[in-house]
Amino acid sequence: VQLQASGGGLVQAGGSLTLSCTVSGTTLDYYTIGWFRQAPGKQRETVACISDSGGNTYYADSVTGRLTISKDNNKNTVNLQMKNLRPEDTAVYFCAAEHYPGSGLLTEDYEYGYWGQGTLVTVSS
């Protein structure tokens, strides 16, 4: 299972970006996907997660209402739409996958076994 994160870049505060995670080597039908981020000098944190069916989602308090995670099993992609970005959202964003059927959620990074390489999001003030 391989993951490729893309869509990062430089954006002004208040702006928007959409990150994409493309998965190969498997279908996403029974995989839960998470987005995580790591800012310089800080620990990696969970941003958002989505269940295998796409019916259940989780958001960190700091991003609730501004970020939306969505899953397209036919295209094997998971998107993270980010709006009203803040300088504190600046980080390297990673997507991760884990085989977890049953519409449940995995919200901790140690629960995921497959990781992409990360994409940098920089929000200027």
Side-chain angles (χ1 to χ4, degrees):
V1 179
Q2 295 183 323
L3 294 87
Q4 178 79 33
S6 61
L10 174 64
V11 63
Q12 288 187 331
S16 301
L17 277 177
T18 297
L19 305 184
S20 293
C21 179
T22 302
V23 181
S24 59
T26 186
T27 62
L28 288 182
D29 293 344
Y30 300 110
Y31 280 77
T32 186
I33 304 295
W35 280 98
F36 303 84
R37 67 186 181 187
Q38 187 165 20
K42 295 187 177 180
Q43 289 188 331
R44 187 166 58 193
E45 62 176 349
T46 307
V47 176
C49 308
I50 190 165
S51 63
D52 62 339
S53 65
N56 289 322
T57 56
Y58 164 86
Y59 296 95
D61 289 343
S62 59
V63 305
T64 298
R66 301 187 299 117
L67 273 58
T68 302
I69 189 171
S70 60
K71 195 165 181 260
D72 188 335
N73 284 357
N74 291 327
K75 295 182 179 179
N76 256 29
T77 60
V78 176
N79 291 329
L80 185 68
Q81 186 177 17
M82 305 190 293
K83 298 180 179 179
N84 193 21
L85 284 163
R86 304 167 180 169
E88 53 264 39
D89 294 318
T90 295
V92 177
Y93 284 71
F94 301 88
C95 60
E98 185 56 46
H99 185 258
Y100 196 66
S103 297
L105 285 171
L106 299 175
T107 61
E108 301 295 336
D109 58 357
Y110 62 80
E111 296 177 300
Y112 288 81
Y114 303 99
W115 288 81
Q117 84 293 355
T119 185
L120 176 63
V121 173
T122 303
V123 184
S124 62
S125 57

